[in-house]
Amino acid sequence: MDILGLSTSPSSGGAYALILNETEGNRRLPIIIGTFEAQAIALELEHIKPPRPMTHDLLRNVIQSFNTFVKQITIHELKEGTFYAKVSYDNDGQSIDQDARPSDAIALAIRFNAPIYVSKMILDEAGIISEPKPEDIDEPSVMKEEEEEKSARPESASDAQLRRLEKSLTKAVAEEDYENAARIRDEIRKMKE
Protein backbone atom coordinates (compact mmCIF):
# COMPACT_ATOMS: atom_id res chain seq x y z
CA MET A 1 0.00 0.00 0.00
CA ASP A 2 1.00 3.59 -0.55
CA ILE A 3 -0.07 6.60 1.47
CA LEU A 4 -2.48 8.54 -0.71
CA GLY A 5 -2.90 11.36 1.81
CA LEU A 6 -4.51 12.72 4.93
CA SER A 7 -8.01 14.15 5.01
CA THR A 8 -10.03 15.95 7.66
CA SER A 9 -13.48 17.39 7.98
CA PRO A 10 -14.85 19.98 10.43
CA SER A 11 -17.23 17.38 11.89
CA SER A 12 -14.45 14.91 12.73
CA GLY A 13 -13.56 16.48 16.08
CA GLY A 14 -9.87 16.82 15.29
CA ALA A 15 -9.46 13.34 13.82
CA TYR A 16 -7.96 12.69 10.41
CA ALA A 17 -8.49 9.98 7.83
CA LEU A 18 -5.23 8.45 6.64
CA ILE A 19 -5.89 7.09 3.16
CA LEU A 20 -3.92 4.07 1.99
CA ASN A 21 -4.04 3.14 -1.69
CA GLU A 22 -3.41 -0.30 -3.21
CA THR A 23 -0.23 -0.18 -5.29
CA GLU A 24 -1.48 -2.90 -7.64
CA GLY A 25 -5.22 -2.44 -7.45
CA ASN A 26 -7.99 0.11 -7.13
CA ARG A 27 -8.94 -0.10 -3.47
CA ARG A 28 -8.38 2.53 -0.81
CA LEU A 29 -8.42 2.06 2.93
CA PRO A 30 -9.32 5.03 5.16
CA ILE A 31 -8.09 4.76 8.74
CA ILE A 32 -9.17 7.34 11.33
CA ILE A 33 -6.17 8.62 13.31
CA GLY A 34 -5.47 11.34 15.85
CA THR A 35 -4.04 14.79 15.25
CA PHE A 36 -0.61 14.02 16.73
CA GLU A 37 -0.14 10.92 14.58
CA ALA A 38 -1.35 12.78 11.48
CA GLN A 39 1.19 15.51 12.18
CA ALA A 40 3.99 12.96 12.64
CA ILE A 41 3.12 11.32 9.31
CA ALA A 42 2.65 14.62 7.45
CA LEU A 43 5.97 16.07 8.64
CA GLU A 44 7.88 13.03 7.43
CA LEU A 45 6.01 12.87 4.11
CA GLU A 46 6.84 16.54 3.51
CA HIS A 47 10.47 16.02 4.61
CA ILE A 48 10.13 18.64 7.34
CA LYS A 49 12.61 18.14 10.17
CA PRO A 50 11.57 19.70 13.49
CA PRO A 51 14.37 21.29 15.53
CA ARG A 52 14.04 18.55 18.18
CA PRO A 53 13.12 14.89 17.56
CA MET A 54 9.44 14.11 17.83
CA THR A 55 8.28 10.83 19.43
CA HIS A 56 8.46 8.75 16.23
CA ASP A 57 11.87 10.23 15.37
CA LEU A 58 13.10 9.33 18.83
CA LEU A 59 11.75 5.81 18.45
CA ARG A 60 13.51 5.46 15.06
CA ASN A 61 16.78 6.63 16.65
CA VAL A 62 16.43 4.14 19.52
CA ILE A 63 15.63 1.26 17.14
CA GLN A 64 18.65 2.11 14.98
CA SER A 65 20.94 2.38 18.02
CA PHE A 66 20.33 -1.34 18.63
CA ASN A 67 21.42 -2.20 15.07
CA THR A 68 17.79 -2.92 14.21
CA PHE A 69 15.52 -1.67 11.44
CA VAL A 70 11.85 -1.88 10.51
CA LYS A 71 11.39 -4.37 7.65
CA GLN A 72 7.67 -3.81 7.12
CA ILE A 73 4.40 -3.07 8.82
CA THR A 74 1.23 -5.07 8.38
CA ILE A 75 -2.33 -4.08 9.19
CA HIS A 76 -3.60 -7.55 9.91
CA GLU A 77 -6.83 -7.38 11.88
CA LEU A 78 -10.08 -5.42 12.18
CA LYS A 79 -12.15 -5.90 15.34
CA GLU A 80 -15.26 -3.86 16.11
CA GLY A 81 -14.11 -1.03 13.86
CA THR A 82 -10.55 -0.92 15.23
CA PHE A 83 -7.56 -1.77 13.04
CA TYR A 84 -4.60 -3.71 14.46
CA ALA A 85 -1.07 -3.61 13.07
CA LYS A 86 2.30 -5.13 13.71
CA VAL A 87 5.75 -3.76 13.09
CA SER A 88 8.29 -6.32 11.84
CA TYR A 89 11.91 -5.62 12.77
CA ASP A 90 15.18 -7.17 11.74
CA ASN A 91 17.73 -7.39 14.55
CA ASP A 92 20.96 -8.86 13.18
CA GLY A 93 19.03 -11.37 11.08
CA GLN A 94 16.47 -12.19 13.78
CA SER A 95 12.88 -11.23 12.95
CA ILE A 96 10.80 -9.60 15.69
CA ASP A 97 7.11 -8.57 15.51
CA GLN A 98 5.61 -5.87 17.73
CA ASP A 99 1.92 -5.00 18.16
CA ALA A 100 1.16 -1.36 17.28
CA ARG A 101 -1.58 1.05 16.33
CA PRO A 102 -1.66 1.45 12.54
CA SER A 103 -0.96 5.19 12.80
CA ASP A 104 2.20 4.63 14.85
CA ALA A 105 3.29 1.73 12.66
CA ILE A 106 2.87 3.83 9.51
CA ALA A 107 4.72 6.78 11.07
CA LEU A 108 7.63 4.38 11.70
CA ALA A 109 7.38 2.72 8.29
CA ILE A 110 7.86 5.99 6.45
CA ARG A 111 10.86 6.85 8.63
CA PHE A 112 12.49 3.54 7.65
CA ASN A 113 11.19 3.56 4.07
CA ALA A 114 9.56 0.21 4.90
CA PRO A 115 6.64 -1.26 2.94
CA ILE A 116 3.09 -1.08 4.28
CA TYR A 117 0.91 -4.17 3.88
CA VAL A 118 -2.78 -4.73 4.57
CA SER A 119 -4.30 -8.21 4.74
CA LYS A 120 -6.61 -9.16 1.88
CA MET A 121 -9.38 -9.90 4.40
CA ILE A 122 -9.27 -6.30 5.68
CA LEU A 123 -9.25 -4.83 2.18
CA ASP A 124 -12.21 -7.02 1.26
CA GLU A 125 -14.09 -5.93 4.38
CA ALA A 126 -13.14 -2.27 4.78
CA GLY A 127 -11.57 -1.23 1.49
CA ILE A 128 -13.30 1.26 -0.77
CA ILE A 129 -13.06 0.65 -4.49
CA SER A 130 -11.98 3.80 -6.27
CA GLU A 131 -13.36 4.58 -9.68
CA PRO A 132 -11.18 3.43 -12.57
CA LYS A 133 -9.63 6.15 -14.69
CA PRO A 134 -11.75 7.11 -17.72
CA GLU A 135 -9.18 5.60 -20.10
CA ASP A 136 -9.51 2.24 -18.28
CA ILE A 137 -13.26 1.96 -18.90
CA ASP A 138 -14.73 0.30 -21.94
CA GLU A 139 -17.96 2.31 -21.73
CA PRO A 140 -20.15 0.49 -24.27
CA SER A 141 -19.59 -2.92 -22.66
CA VAL A 142 -19.95 -1.56 -19.10
CA MET A 143 -23.22 0.20 -19.98
CA LYS A 144 -24.52 -2.87 -21.82
CA GLU A 145 -23.79 -5.13 -18.82
CA GLU A 146 -25.57 -2.72 -16.46
CA GLU A 147 -28.63 -2.53 -18.74
CA GLU A 148 -28.81 -6.33 -19.05
CA GLU A 149 -28.55 -6.70 -15.29
CA LYS A 150 -31.34 -4.16 -14.68
CA SER A 151 -33.72 -5.71 -17.19
CA ALA A 152 -33.14 -9.23 -15.86
CA ARG A 153 -35.01 -8.60 -12.59
CA PRO A 154 -37.26 -5.99 -11.00
CA GLU A 155 -35.61 -3.77 -8.40
CA SER A 156 -36.76 -4.14 -4.79
CA ALA A 157 -36.78 -1.28 -2.27
CA SER A 158 -33.66 -2.65 -0.58
CA ASP A 159 -31.91 -2.97 -3.97
CA ALA A 160 -32.80 0.64 -4.75
CA GLN A 161 -31.48 1.77 -1.33
CA LEU A 162 -28.29 -0.25 -1.89
CA ARG A 163 -27.87 1.31 -5.35
CA ARG A 164 -28.32 4.82 -3.87
CA LEU A 165 -25.74 4.08 -1.16
CA GLU A 166 -23.26 2.76 -3.74
CA LYS A 167 -23.70 5.96 -5.80
CA SER A 168 -23.17 8.03 -2.64
CA LEU A 169 -20.04 6.00 -1.87
CA THR A 170 -18.67 6.61 -5.37
CA LYS A 171 -19.37 10.34 -5.00
CA ALA A 172 -17.76 10.52 -1.54
CA VAL A 173 -14.62 8.77 -2.81
CA ALA A 174 -14.46 11.04 -5.88
CA GLU A 175 -14.74 14.10 -3.60
CA GLU A 176 -12.13 12.57 -1.26
CA ASP A 177 -14.60 12.71 1.65
CA TYR A 178 -13.20 9.51 3.12
CA GLU A 179 -14.83 9.86 6.52
CA ASN A 180 -18.27 9.86 4.90
CA ALA A 181 -17.16 7.11 2.49
CA ALA A 182 -16.19 4.89 5.43
CA ARG A 183 -19.60 5.47 7.05
CA ILE A 184 -21.43 4.66 3.79
CA ARG A 185 -19.24 1.58 3.24
CA ASP A 186 -20.29 0.30 6.68
CA GLU A 187 -23.99 0.87 5.87
CA ILE A 188 -23.61 -1.07 2.61
CA ARG A 189 -21.90 -3.93 4.42
CA LYS A 190 -24.75 -4.12 6.97
CA MET A 191 -27.33 -4.18 4.19
CA LYS A 192 -25.52 -6.97 2.35
CA GLU A 193 -25.30 -9.06 5.51
Side-chain angles (χ1 to χ4, degrees), residues 9-36:
S9 72
S11 64
S12 66
Y16 287 78
L18 171 66
I19 315 302
L20 299 178
N21 190 50
E22 247 182 335
T23 55
E24 295 180 14
N26 63 343
R27 291 182 287 185
R28 294 178 178 173
L29 183 68
I31 301 173
I32 305 303
I33 65 173
T35 303
F36 176 77

Side-chain angles (χ1 to χ4, degrees), residues 7 51 53 56 58 62 71 84 91 97 99 104 107 124-125 139 163-164 182 189 193:
S7 173
H56 295 96
L58 174 64
V62 169
K71 291 191 306 188
Y84 291 79
N91 184 348
D97 289 335
D99 180 42
D104 292 326
D124 291 344
E125 184 176 339
E139 288 202 34
R163 189 171 44 78
R164 281 192 295 276
R189 188 176 24 195
E193 288 173 355

Side-chain angles (χ1 to χ4, degrees), residues 26 28 128-134 136-137 166 169-171 173-174:
N26 63 343
R28 294 178 178 173
I128 297 170
I129 297 175
S130 62
E131 287 299 308
K133 297 176 184 125
D136 296 340
I137 299 175
E166 287 171 344
L169 177 61
T170 300
K171 182 180 177 197
V173 170

Side-chain angles (χ1 to χ4, degrees), residues 5-6 26 36 41 47 56 62 67 80 82 88 166-167 175:
L6 289 161
N26 63 343
F36 176 77
I41 291 168
H47 306 291
H56 295 96
V62 169
N67 198 28
E80 299 174 12
T82 301
S88 298
E166 287 171 344
K167 281 184 180 179
E175 294 174 353

Side-chain angles (χ1 to χ4, degrees), residues 71-128:
K71 291 191 306 188
Q72 69 184 40
I73 70 114
T74 307
I75 300 171
H76 62 91
E77 196 168 356
L78 175 60
K79 283 188 202 172
E80 299 174 12
T82 301
F83 292 99
Y84 291 79
K86 65 180 174 183
V87 179
S88 298
Y89 304 94
D90 184 287
N91 184 348
D92 288 328
Q94 180 184 7
S95 187
I96 302 167
D97 289 335
Q98 180 83 48
D99 180 42
R101 297 183 307 173
S103 55
D104 292 326
I106 290 168
L108 275 177
I110 60 177
R111 283 164 171 77
F112 281 91
N113 199 25
I116 300 166
Y117 295 103
V118 175
S119 77
K120 182 181 180 321
M121 177 193 69
I122 290 175
L123 278 175
D124 291 344
E125 184 176 339
I128 297 170

